[in-house]
Amino acid sequence: LKRPLDEPYPYVFVDARYEKIRRDHKVESNGVLIAKGVNSQGKRDLLGVQVCNTENETTWSDFFESLIQRGLKGVLLVISDDHGGLVNAIEKHFPGTQWQRCQVHFMKNVLDKVRGRDKAWVKSRLSDIFLAPDKQAGFARLQQLVADLADRYPSLADLLEADGEDALACLNFPSQHRRRIRTTNGLERFNQEIKRRTRIIRIFPNQASALRLIGALCMEQSEEWLTGKQYLDMSLLEKLNQEQEAELRLEMTAA
């Protein structure tokens, strides 16, 4: 909770889960905010955890502020779901950073809005968009899907036009990284492991006890990740950045 974050974390994943905690002789559902990062060596690391009364913009802002005060820097992409308070807090504390809306959550939100007989082809078209070779191609495919849905599902077409590009931020990053930075699945799998361990307790006597157990699980998992295999080859990101800087210099020279 207090260790310095001394190195850059280009990719940061954030998610929340809920635990039952007793307070003033009542049982309440409390939010557990967790951040996972991928460092400049391509290793995963759990950056922080916080137990709070609820999940909203204020609690996410407090959480991000604590990470920044500990030294969190070099963030290029934040991956999360579309919780309004969370997205606002990301925009506030990581200005200029790209945001990747979890494609799994986005896919589910879209499919919930179409009739059963249309789910298969809409899912196929969305998958084709997500697998585009670059952002330009992905956006073009998205616009075509918007046009194809305009008559049959006008409200869904509006949703895709307004929010669809948020799910394509990963296309600005190395293709070899995209499968692992396009969703929060990895962090949610860890949350399931937390659930497996905390459901034995069922109800925590207070927030401090919840933080002790969940914090210990985070420490254990973080150590395993940091001493294990490389998760992503970050030299690919550095190479991409150099190529983009070279292209920018050429454009400026030509202008």
Side-chain angles (χ1 to χ4, degrees):
L1 300 180
K2 296 181 179 179
R3 67 183 173 95
L5 301 173
D6 294 327
E7 58 184 316
Y9 288 87
Y11 300 135
V12 173
F13 304 76
V14 289
D15 194 25
R17 59 167 288 98
Y18 286 84
E19 294 290 347
K20 292 182 178 179
I21 296 176
R22 197 177 303 279
R23 181 181 181 185
D24 297 331
H25 308 290
K26 296 182 295 183
V27 176
E28 300 177 346
S29 180
N30 279 213
V32 181
L33 315 183
I34 300 180
K36 180 184 84 170
V38 179
N39 64 22
S40 53
Q41 283 74 51
K43 296 291 189 73
R44 288 170 291 176
D45 188 9
L46 284 163
L47 308 180
V49 57
Q50 178 174 301
V51 180
C52 49
N53 292 337
T54 187
E55 177 194 6
N56 56 31
E57 182 176 349
T58 299
T59 53
W60 275 114
S61 289
D62 291 343
F63 184 49
F64 290 149
E65 185 63 33
S66 70
L67 295 177
I68 292 169
Q69 289 178 355
R70 288 167 48 206
L72 178 61
K73 58 184 179 294
V75 181
L76 301 178
L77 182 70
V78 179
I79 304 95
S80 77
D81 62 22
D82 189 40
H83 184 283
L86 169 55
V87 175
N88 290 339
I90 291 171
E91 292 176 350
K92 177 181 178 180
H93 291 279
F94 300 101
T97 297
Q98 297 185 65
W99 172 57
Q100 169 66 41
R101 181 173 179 173
C102 175
Q103 291 182 353
V104 170
H105 288 94
F106 186 66
M107 176 81 80
K108 183 179 185 303
N109 291 341
V110 170
L111 295 181
D112 284 345
K113 299 179 185 301
V114 300
R115 292 185 287 270
R117 67 174 182 266
D118 292 326
K119 289 184 184 296
W121 73 265
V122 172
K123 181 178 181 180
S124 176
R125 292 286 296 278
L126 268 180
S127 297
D128 186 54
I129 292 168
F130 294 157
L131 295 174
D134 53 46
K135 184 67 172 293
Q136 184 177 1
F139 185 71
R141 295 177 187 181
L142 175 65
Q143 292 301 106
Q144 184 59 56
L145 179 58
V146 169
D148 293 343
L149 290 171
D151 292 334
R152 195 179 308 182
Y153 297 104
S155 61
L156 178 55
D158 291 342
L159 170 69
L160 287 169
E161 187 163 30
D163 301 335
E165 195 171 359
D166 292 332
L168 305 182
C170 62
L171 298 179
N172 292 324
F173 293 84
S175 58
Q176 297 89 338
H177 290 187
R178 293 172 191 168
R179 184 173 64 86
R180 288 178 165 169
I181 63 172
R182 64 190 184 92
T183 73
T184 56
N185 286 0
L187 185 52
E188 289 180 3
R189 281 193 293 271
F190 175 64
N191 276 336
Q192 288 300 312
E193 178 61 19
I194 292 176
K195 180 180 179 180
R196 187 179 69 83
R197 305 282 285 273
T198 60
R199 67 185 174 192
I200 300 171
I201 299 172
R202 291 186 59 251
I203 301 172
F204 286 95
N206 49 53
Q207 286 187 345
S209 63
L211 185 59
R212 280 195 297 272
L213 175 58
I214 297 170
L217 295 174
C218 288
M219 289 173 62
E220 181 182 303
Q221 181 62 79
S222 193
E223 182 178 354
E224 180 181 327
W225 281 341
L226 289 170
T227 57
K229 294 180 180 179
Q230 185 183 53
Y231 187 64
L232 293 172
D233 180 359
M234 301 305 280
S235 67
L236 298 172
L237 181 59
E238 179 62 27
K239 181 180 178 182
L240 179 63
N241 290 337
Q242 291 173 355
E243 291 173 351
Q244 291 174 343
E245 290 174 2
E247 289 176 3
L248 182 60
R249 286 196 295 269
L250 285 174
E251 290 176 2
M252 294 177 64
T253 301

